[in-house]
Amino acid sequence: MERVRGVLKAHLERAYAPYSGFPVVALVEAEGESFLGVNVENASFPLSQCAERNAVAAMVLSGKRRIDRVHIYSPKGPIPPCGGCRQVLLEFGSPETEVVLHGPEGYVVKTLGELLPWGFRL
Ligand code: THU
């Protein structure tokens, strides 16, 4: 866990969050590989993209589609993912998928099922 925490913290400065001042880094573990994402904001605020969804996009581009575990780091954390990201994570994970919420002082582990009970799936 300490190695992952180091990777998350090392990428914090890559987040582009000039409007909210709220940088977030996400790391998705999928099929033996790791994929990073940071939040990327926009002057047209609704176009901003969350860190989790950018990590999922990197995973899909690489050809992986099964999320085994997710890590989310914020200097204000542990913070939970937004509702939309919970749904996106469920698309490639399961209710049992671990979501590790990190902050500077430590982390808490939840499951996707706890964060998104009765989640919609086709
Ligand atoms: N944000 C994320 O990247 N992930 C989350 O789970 C919560 C929120 C971003 C979106 C926006 O750039 C900033 O944090 C403040 O909402």
Side-chain angles (χ1 to χ4, degrees):
M1 193 62 81
E2 283 315 304
R3 188 193 65 79
V4 172
R5 287 178 60 75
V7 171
L8 292 164
K9 288 180 185 174
H11 288 83
L12 193 60
E13 64 183 10
R14 302 279 177 90
Y16 180 72
Y19 303 107
S20 70
F22 196 93
V24 182
V25 183
L27 184 150
V28 168
E29 295 179 18
E31 302 174 45
E33 288 186 34
S34 294
F35 302 93
L36 283 161
V38 294
N39 54 335
V40 179
E41 298 186 346
N42 191 278
S44 178
F45 298 163
L47 297 179
S48 299
Q49 187 82 349
C50 288
E52 295 88 331
R53 270 181 266 182
N54 284 329
V56 168
M59 176 195 77
V60 171
L61 180 62
S62 85
K64 306 284 192 274
R65 293 188 175 173
R66 199 194 68 240
I67 295 179
D68 298 315
R69 192 146 71 149
V70 180
H71 300 265
I72 303 165
Y73 182 87
S74 159
K76 304 222 170 85
I79 56 131
C82 78
C85 285
R86 296 176 200 205
Q87 181 71 36
V88 169
L89 293 171
L90 184 63
E91 182 73 22
F92 300 100
S94 76
E96 290 73 42
T97 302
E98 284 184 351
V99 182
V100 189
L101 310 171
H102 296 263
E105 309 301 333
Y107 60 89
V108 295
V109 183
K110 301 285 183 187
T111 66
L112 205 41
E114 287 178 294
L115 295 173
L116 186 64
W118 225 49
F120 177 69
R121 301 187 93 173
L122 288 176

